[in-house]
Amino acid sequence: MSSTQDILVHTEAGVATLTFNRADKKNSITEAMYTAMADALEQAAQDAAVRCLVFQGDLAIFSAGNDIADFLQQAAKGGPAPAVQGERPVWRFLRLLAGFPKPLVAAVCGPAVGIGTTLLLHCDLVYAGDNAAFSLPFVNLGLCPEAASSLLLPQMLGYHRAAEALLLGEPFLAEAALEVGLVNRVVPPSECNALAQAQARKLAAKPLAALVETKRLMKAGQASLVRTRMDEEGASFASLMAGPAAKEAFTAFMEKRRPDFSRC
Ligand code: COA
């Protein structure tokens, strides 16, 4: 069990709300935070009092993705060993997220980087503030996609727009996310969390078994494909993390300079 204050979990009226609470580091996610999020998902899945779960950040930032200092530490050790890789908190979190049986809702304001965007591919309803910016800079960090985003993003955006997002790593804004169906509605940031809560409470008032079965059926066609792709991505991610490009990218970020990939 983790006891970090960087993830807050609050349950009310059948809705568990998980809040990123590390604004000084742009809600980037540490190993302790992944453990807290995985624990929260595990508990929420089992707890009959929870019927829906909401992810939210604050009004200026959803999440800057994985903590890059954590990445740098792993890269310095040659990346996680493949056997250990599957046990890491981030992969535990992703497995629980992809298999979470009850409805998942997200309220996204400000930047949603890396896993801040890929986790949304596993949410059922996504509401965005008009300041939301989604980005998947894995290649820019010498890495590859995770959370089965290499499968789900081309399906959602079409191959060429997914390639723009995943190969160039350029951010796309709330209206573009709405157009491709990554988000359900765009509202002023000050209304976003309240809208997500209102929708979550509507879901929580519905018969749970019918919700769970409907979600399972909608995802049944590719649940095993998602798990297989996540494993494949995990193996590639671990090997790229041990490479020179990732180390250079992480070091450059921490040193607040542009990375030099001329020798990578
Ligand atoms: N990991 C660790 N620290 C991070 C971080 C991350 N992913 N993202 C931001 N921070 C830290 C910065 O190092 C800085 O710390 P400092 O105040 O001790 O110097 C602080 O958060 C503020 O970040 P800053 O970059 O100054 O904020 P910004 O408003 O100018 O930009 C972002 C916000 C999210 C656009 C930018 O921080 C960013 O691009 N972060 C990295 C995203 C990323 O590549 N994530 C990995 C995805 S796989």
Side-chain angles (χ1 to χ4, degrees), residues 17-55:
T17 301
L18 193 156
T19 305
F20 295 113
N21 184 41
R22 194 182 181 225
D24 60 324
K25 294 289 181 189
K26 301 289 168 184
N27 289 339
S28 55
I29 309 174
T30 59
E31 298 249 308
M33 290 163 74
Y34 286 120
T35 297
M37 289 158 66
D39 289 347
L41 285 177
E42 215 161 45
Q43 270 171 23
Q46 287 160 13
D47 186 348
V50 174
R51 303 162 76 90
C52 179
L53 186 141
V54 176
F55 289 100

Side-chain angles (χ1 to χ4, degrees), residues 67 117 255:
D67 184 285
T117 288
E255 293 175 355

Side-chain angles (χ1 to χ4, degrees), residues 75-137:
K77 291 184 211 148
V84 177
Q85 170 80 354
E87 304 311 313
R88 286 184 46 226
V90 59
W91 305 113
R92 180 177 159 236
F93 165 68
L94 287 174
R95 277 197 300 270
L96 288 163
L97 179 76
F100 193 72
K102 301 173 187 176
L104 290 168
V105 178
V108 184
C109 295
V113 187
I115 199 164
T117 288
T118 60
L119 79 80
L120 305 174
L121 300 170
H122 300 277
C123 290
D124 302 291
L125 301 174
V126 180
Y127 298 101
D130 57 22
N131 62 345
F134 304 85
S135 60
L136 300 151

